[in-house]
PDB file of all heavy atoms in Angstrom:
ATOM      1  N   GLU A   1      -0.333 -19.784   8.636  1.00  0.00           N
ATOM      2  CA  GLU A   1       0.132 -18.560   9.292  1.00  0.00           C
ATOM      3  C   GLU A   1       1.561 -18.207   8.882  1.00  0.00           C
ATOM      4  O   GLU A   1       1.976 -17.048   8.975  1.00  0.00           O
ATOM      5  CB  GLU A   1       0.051 -18.703  10.815  1.00  0.00           C
ATOM      6  CG  GLU A   1      -1.372 -18.771  11.353  1.00  0.00           C
ATOM      7  CD  GLU A   1      -1.396 -18.746  12.867  1.00  0.00           C
ATOM      8  OE1 GLU A   1      -0.290 -18.740  13.470  1.00  0.00           O
ATOM      9  OE2 GLU A   1      -2.499 -18.729  13.427  1.00  0.00           O
ATOM     10  N   ILE A   2       2.342 -19.213   8.455  1.00  0.00           N
ATOM     11  CA  ILE A   2       3.743 -18.977   8.090  1.00  0.00           C
ATOM     12  C   ILE A   2       3.870 -18.487   6.657  1.00  0.00           C
ATOM     13  O   ILE A   2       4.634 -17.563   6.365  1.00  0.00           O
ATOM     14  CB  ILE A   2       4.574 -20.256   8.315  1.00  0.00           C
ATOM     15  CG1 ILE A   2       4.632 -20.554   9.818  1.00  0.00           C
ATOM     16  CG2 ILE A   2       5.973 -20.118   7.724  1.00  0.00           C
ATOM     17  CD1 ILE A   2       5.354 -21.818  10.172  1.00  0.00           C
ATOM     18  N   CYS A   3       3.131 -19.087   5.727  1.00  0.00           N
ATOM     19  CA  CYS A   3       3.174 -18.626   4.340  1.00  0.00           C
ATOM     20  C   CYS A   3       1.807 -18.764   3.705  1.00  0.00           C
ATOM     21  O   CYS A   3       1.011 -19.627   4.081  1.00  0.00           O
ATOM     22  CB  CYS A   3       4.241 -19.357   3.531  1.00  0.00           C
ATOM     23  SG  CYS A   3       3.801 -21.009   2.999  1.00  0.00           S
ATOM     24  N   GLY A   4       1.560 -17.909   2.750  1.00  0.00           N
ATOM     25  CA  GLY A   4       0.322 -17.967   1.992  1.00  0.00           C
ATOM     26  C   GLY A   4       0.592 -18.409   0.572  1.00  0.00           C
ATOM     27  O   GLY A   4       1.730 -18.368   0.085  1.00  0.00           O
ATOM     28  N   ILE A   5      -0.467 -18.835  -0.137  1.00  0.00           N
ATOM     29  CA  ILE A   5      -0.316 -19.251  -1.524  1.00  0.00           C
ATOM     30  C   ILE A   5      -1.520 -18.792  -2.318  1.00  0.00           C
ATOM     31  O   ILE A   5      -2.670 -18.875  -1.857  1.00  0.00           O
ATOM     32  CB  ILE A   5      -0.137 -20.787  -1.632  1.00  0.00           C
ATOM     33  CG1 ILE A   5       0.172 -21.179  -3.074  1.00  0.00           C
ATOM     34  CG2 ILE A   5      -1.356 -21.530  -1.101  1.00  0.00           C
ATOM     35  CD1 ILE A   5       0.681 -22.592  -3.222  1.00  0.00           C
ATOM     36  N   SER A   6      -1.266 -18.234  -3.503  1.00  0.00           N
ATOM     37  CA  SER A   6      -2.315 -17.788  -4.405  1.00  0.00           C
ATOM     38  C   SER A   6      -1.905 -18.123  -5.824  1.00  0.00           C
ATOM     39  O   SER A   6      -0.865 -17.657  -6.305  1.00  0.00           O
ATOM     40  CB  SER A   6      -2.539 -16.279  -4.258  1.00  0.00           C
ATOM     41  OG  SER A   6      -3.486 -15.814  -5.202  1.00  0.00           O
ATOM     42  N   ASN A   7      -2.696 -18.974  -6.481  1.00  0.00           N
ATOM     43  CA  ASN A   7      -2.396 -19.396  -7.856  1.00  0.00           C
ATOM     44  C   ASN A   7      -0.996 -19.979  -7.991  1.00  0.00           C
ATOM     45  O   ASN A   7      -0.300 -19.762  -8.984  1.00  0.00           O
ATOM     46  CB  ASN A   7      -2.565 -18.234  -8.839  1.00  0.00           C
ATOM     47  CG  ASN A   7      -3.996 -17.758  -8.937  1.00  0.00           C
ATOM     48  OD1 ASN A   7      -4.936 -18.562  -8.906  1.00  0.00           O
ATOM     49  ND2 ASN A   7      -4.180 -16.445  -9.066  1.00  0.00           N
ATOM     50  N   GLY A   8      -0.579 -20.718  -6.972  1.00  0.00           N
ATOM     51  CA  GLY A   8       0.717 -21.374  -7.014  1.00  0.00           C
ATOM     52  C   GLY A   8       1.884 -20.483  -6.677  1.00  0.00           C
ATOM     53  O   GLY A   8       3.040 -20.893  -6.820  1.00  0.00           O
ATOM     54  N   VAL A   9       1.621 -19.263  -6.194  1.00  0.00           N
ATOM     55  CA  VAL A   9       2.682 -18.318  -5.848  1.00  0.00           C
ATOM     56  C   VAL A   9       2.732 -18.179  -4.338  1.00  0.00           C
ATOM     57  O   VAL A   9       1.742 -17.825  -3.691  1.00  0.00           O
ATOM     58  CB  VAL A   9       2.446 -16.950  -6.510  1.00  0.00           C
ATOM     59  CG1 VAL A   9       3.564 -15.974  -6.124  1.00  0.00           C
ATOM     60  CG2 VAL A   9       2.384 -17.102  -8.027  1.00  0.00           C
ATOM     61  N   LEU A  10       3.911 -18.437  -3.741  1.00  0.00           N
ATOM     62  CA  LEU A  10       4.093 -18.393  -2.294  1.00  0.00           C
ATOM     63  C   LEU A  10       4.527 -17.005  -1.831  1.00  0.00           C
ATOM     64  O   LEU A  10       5.294 -16.313  -2.511  1.00  0.00           O
ATOM     65  CB  LEU A  10       5.158 -19.404  -1.858  1.00  0.00           C
ATOM     66  CG  LEU A  10       4.853 -20.892  -2.046  1.00  0.00           C
ATOM     67  CD1 LEU A  10       6.066 -21.712  -1.641  1.00  0.00           C
ATOM     68  CD2 LEU A  10       3.645 -21.296  -1.225  1.00  0.00           C
ATOM     69  N   SER A  11       4.057 -16.626  -0.627  1.00  0.00           N
ATOM     70  CA  SER A  11       4.509 -15.391   0.010  1.00  0.00           C
ATOM     71  C   SER A  11       4.713 -15.662   1.494  1.00  0.00           C
ATOM     72  O   SER A  11       3.908 -16.345   2.137  1.00  0.00           O
ATOM     73  CB  SER A  11       3.481 -14.269  -0.190  1.00  0.00           C
ATOM     74  OG  SER A  11       2.202 -14.666   0.286  1.00  0.00           O
ATOM     75  N   GLY A  12       5.808 -15.164   2.051  1.00  0.00           N
ATOM     76  CA  GLY A  12       6.108 -15.360   3.462  1.00  0.00           C
ATOM     77  C   GLY A  12       5.289 -14.433   4.333  1.00  0.00           C
ATOM     78  O   GLY A  12       5.161 -13.238   4.041  1.00  0.00           O
ATOM     79  N   LEU A  13       4.744 -14.979   5.454  1.00  0.00           N
ATOM     80  CA  LEU A  13       3.907 -14.196   6.360  1.00  0.00           C
ATOM     81  C   LEU A  13       4.520 -14.043   7.740  1.00  0.00           C
ATOM     82  O   LEU A  13       4.431 -12.983   8.343  1.00  0.00           O
ATOM     83  CB  LEU A  13       2.526 -14.856   6.484  1.00  0.00           C
ATOM     84  CG  LEU A  13       1.739 -15.058   5.184  1.00  0.00           C
ATOM     85  CD1 LEU A  13       0.450 -15.787   5.467  1.00  0.00           C
ATOM     86  CD2 LEU A  13       1.496 -13.734   4.484  1.00  0.00           C
ATOM     87  N   LYS A  14       5.167 -15.109   8.236  1.00  0.00           N
ATOM     88  CA  LYS A  14       5.707 -15.094   9.593  1.00  0.00           C
ATOM     89  C   LYS A  14       6.906 -16.033   9.652  1.00  0.00           C
ATOM     90  O   LYS A  14       6.927 -17.061   8.979  1.00  0.00           O
ATOM     91  CB  LYS A  14       4.628 -15.532  10.588  1.00  0.00           C
ATOM     92  CG  LYS A  14       5.043 -15.415  12.041  1.00  0.00           C
ATOM     93  CD  LYS A  14       3.905 -15.809  12.979  1.00  0.00           C
ATOM     94  CE  LYS A  14       3.701 -17.312  12.998  1.00  0.00           C
ATOM     95  NZ  LYS A  14       2.746 -17.739  14.053  1.00  0.00           N
ATOM     96  N   ASN A  15       7.882 -15.711  10.474  1.00  0.00           N
ATOM     97  CA  ASN A  15       9.052 -16.572  10.610  1.00  0.00           C
ATOM     98  C   ASN A  15       8.640 -17.971  11.043  1.00  0.00           C
ATOM     99  O   ASN A  15       7.793 -18.145  11.925  1.00  0.00           O
ATOM    100  CB  ASN A  15      10.022 -16.002  11.642  1.00  0.00           C
ATOM    101  CG  ASN A  15      10.728 -14.758  11.144  1.00  0.00           C
ATOM    102  OD1 ASN A  15      10.686 -14.459   9.957  1.00  0.00           O
ATOM    103  ND2 ASN A  15      11.353 -14.017  12.044  1.00  0.00           N
ATOM    104  N   GLY A  16       9.253 -18.958  10.395  1.00  0.00           N
ATOM    105  CA  GLY A  16       8.951 -20.333  10.743  1.00  0.00           C
ATOM    106  C   GLY A  16       9.164 -21.265   9.579  1.00  0.00           C
ATOM    107  O   GLY A  16       9.636 -20.861   8.498  1.00  0.00           O
ATOM    108  N   VAL A  17       8.836 -22.537   9.778  1.00  0.00           N
ATOM    109  CA  VAL A  17       9.011 -23.567   8.763  1.00  0.00           C
ATOM    110  C   VAL A  17       7.687 -24.309   8.586  1.00  0.00           C
ATOM    111  O   VAL A  17       7.024 -24.649   9.578  1.00  0.00           O
ATOM    112  CB  VAL A  17      10.121 -24.569   9.150  1.00  0.00           C
ATOM    113  CG1 VAL A  17      10.264 -25.650   8.078  1.00  0.00           C
ATOM    114  CG2 VAL A  17      11.441 -23.846   9.349  1.00  0.00           C
ATOM    115  N   THR A  18       7.318 -24.552   7.338  1.00  0.00           N
ATOM    116  CA  THR A  18       6.104 -25.303   7.059  1.00  0.00           C
ATOM    117  C   THR A  18       6.300 -26.086   5.768  1.00  0.00           C
ATOM    118  O   THR A  18       7.368 -26.028   5.134  1.00  0.00           O
ATOM    119  CB  THR A  18       4.884 -24.377   6.947  1.00  0.00           C
ATOM    120  OG1 THR A  18       3.700 -25.185   6.833  1.00  0.00           O
ATOM    121  CG2 THR A  18       4.996 -23.464   5.738  1.00  0.00           C
ATOM    122  N   THR A  19       5.275 -26.818   5.365  1.00  0.00           N
ATOM    123  CA  THR A  19       5.328 -27.634   4.144  1.00  0.00           C
ATOM    124  C   THR A  19       4.142 -27.291   3.252  1.00  0.00           C
ATOM    125  O   THR A  19       3.022 -27.110   3.743  1.00  0.00           O
ATOM    126  CB  THR A  19       5.288 -29.136   4.486  1.00  0.00           C
ATOM    127  OG1 THR A  19       6.401 -29.455   5.330  1.00  0.00           O
ATOM    128  CG2 THR A  19       5.357 -29.979   3.221  1.00  0.00           C
ATOM    129  N   VAL A  20       4.414 -27.199   1.967  1.00  0.00           N
ATOM    130  CA  VAL A  20       3.373 -26.970   0.973  1.00  0.00           C
ATOM    131  C   VAL A  20       3.256 -28.224   0.118  1.00  0.00           C
ATOM    132  O   VAL A  20       4.271 -28.757  -0.358  1.00  0.00           O
ATOM    133  CB  VAL A  20       3.697 -25.747   0.096  1.00  0.00           C
ATOM    134  CG1 VAL A  20       2.645 -25.575  -0.990  1.00  0.00           C
ATOM    135  CG2 VAL A  20       3.802 -24.497   0.938  1.00  0.00           C
ATOM    136  N   THR A  21       2.049 -28.716  -0.092  1.00  0.00           N
ATOM    137  CA  THR A  21       1.818 -29.932  -0.864  1.00  0.00           C
ATOM    138  C   THR A  21       0.864 -29.642  -2.014  1.00  0.00           C
ATOM    139  O   THR A  21      -0.149 -28.947  -1.830  1.00  0.00           O
ATOM    140  CB  THR A  21       1.219 -31.048   0.022  1.00  0.00           C
ATOM    141  OG1 THR A  21       2.106 -31.273   1.120  1.00  0.00           O
ATOM    142  CG2 THR A  21       1.056 -32.342  -0.767  1.00  0.00           C
ATOM    143  N   GLY A  22       1.197 -30.163  -3.191  1.00  0.00           N
ATOM    144  CA  GLY A  22       0.353 -29.973  -4.359  1.00  0.00           C
ATOM    145  C   GLY A  22      -0.011 -31.288  -5.003  1.00  0.00           C
ATOM    146  O   GLY A  22       0.776 -32.243  -4.989  1.00  0.00           O
ATOM    147  N   LYS A  23      -1.211 -31.342  -5.582  1.00  0.00           N
ATOM    148  CA  LYS A  23      -1.683 -32.556  -6.250  1.00  0.00           C
ATOM    149  C   LYS A  23      -2.228 -32.191  -7.623  1.00  0.00           C
ATOM    150  O   LYS A  23      -2.950 -31.207  -7.783  1.00  0.00           O
ATOM    151  CB  LYS A  23      -2.763 -33.248  -5.420  1.00  0.00           C
ATOM    152  CG  LYS A  23      -2.263 -33.790  -4.087  1.00  0.00           C
ATOM    153  CD  LYS A  23      -3.366 -34.533  -3.333  1.00  0.00           C
ATOM    154  CE  LYS A  23      -2.828 -35.091  -2.016  1.00  0.00           C
ATOM    155  NZ  LYS A  23      -3.882 -35.837  -1.269  1.00  0.00           N
ATOM    156  N   LEU A  24      -1.880 -33.012  -8.611  1.00  0.00           N
ATOM    157  CA  LEU A  24      -2.348 -32.834  -9.980  1.00  0.00           C
ATOM    158  C   LEU A  24      -2.422 -34.200 -10.641  1.00  0.00           C
ATOM    159  O   LEU A  24      -1.389 -34.841 -10.867  1.00  0.00           O
ATOM    160  CB  LEU A  24      -1.402 -31.910 -10.760  1.00  0.00           C
ATOM    161  CG  LEU A  24      -1.721 -31.680 -12.230  1.00  0.00           C
ATOM    162  CD1 LEU A  24      -3.064 -30.991 -12.392  1.00  0.00           C
ATOM    163  CD2 LEU A  24      -0.620 -30.849 -12.902  1.00  0.00           C
ATOM    164  N   ASP A  25      -3.633 -34.673 -10.928  1.00  0.00           N
ATOM    165  CA  ASP A  25      -3.840 -36.013 -11.474  1.00  0.00           C
ATOM    166  C   ASP A  25      -3.140 -37.037 -10.564  1.00  0.00           C
ATOM    167  O   ASP A  25      -3.438 -37.107  -9.386  1.00  0.00           O
ATOM    168  CB  ASP A  25      -3.340 -36.093 -12.915  1.00  0.00           C
ATOM    169  CG  ASP A  25      -4.121 -35.185 -13.852  1.00  0.00           C
ATOM    170  OD1 ASP A  25      -5.259 -34.828 -13.497  1.00  0.00           O
ATOM    171  OD2 ASP A  25      -3.596 -34.838 -14.927  1.00  0.00           O
ATOM    172  N   ASP A  26      -2.159 -37.787 -11.121  1.00  0.00           N
ATOM    173  CA  ASP A  26      -1.452 -38.795 -10.319  1.00  0.00           C
ATOM    174  C   ASP A  26      -0.224 -38.240  -9.611  1.00  0.00           C
ATOM    175  O   ASP A  26       0.492 -38.971  -8.922  1.00  0.00           O
ATOM    176  CB  ASP A  26      -1.018 -39.975 -11.208  1.00  0.00           C
ATOM    177  CG  ASP A  26      -2.198 -40.703 -11.814  1.00  0.00           C
ATOM    178  OD1 ASP A  26      -3.270 -40.699 -11.178  1.00  0.00           O
ATOM    179  OD2 ASP A  26      -2.045 -41.256 -12.918  1.00  0.00           O
ATOM    180  N   PHE A  27       0.027 -36.945  -9.771  1.00  0.00           N
ATOM    181  CA  PHE A  27       1.231 -36.340  -9.200  1.00  0.00           C
ATOM    182  C   PHE A  27       0.948 -35.732  -7.834  1.00  0.00           C
ATOM    183  O   PHE A  27      -0.066 -35.054  -7.632  1.00  0.00           O
ATOM    184  CB  PHE A  27       1.767 -35.257 -10.135  1.00  0.00           C
ATOM    185  CG  PHE A  27       2.786 -34.353  -9.506  1.00  0.00           C
ATOM    186  CD1 PHE A  27       4.095 -34.780  -9.321  1.00  0.00           C
ATOM    187  CD2 PHE A  27       2.432 -33.075  -9.078  1.00  0.00           C
ATOM    188  CE1 PHE A  27       5.034 -33.949  -8.744  1.00  0.00           C
ATOM    189  CE2 PHE A  27       3.369 -32.239  -8.503  1.00  0.00           C
ATOM    190  CZ  PHE A  27       4.671 -32.680  -8.339  1.00  0.00           C
TER     191      PHE A  27
END
């Protein structure tokens, strides 16, 4: 609800704080 993501691009939706996590192979 705070931010959206599409193809690795973030967009802000609502005031607040959140965390985005990504995984790729061993990373």
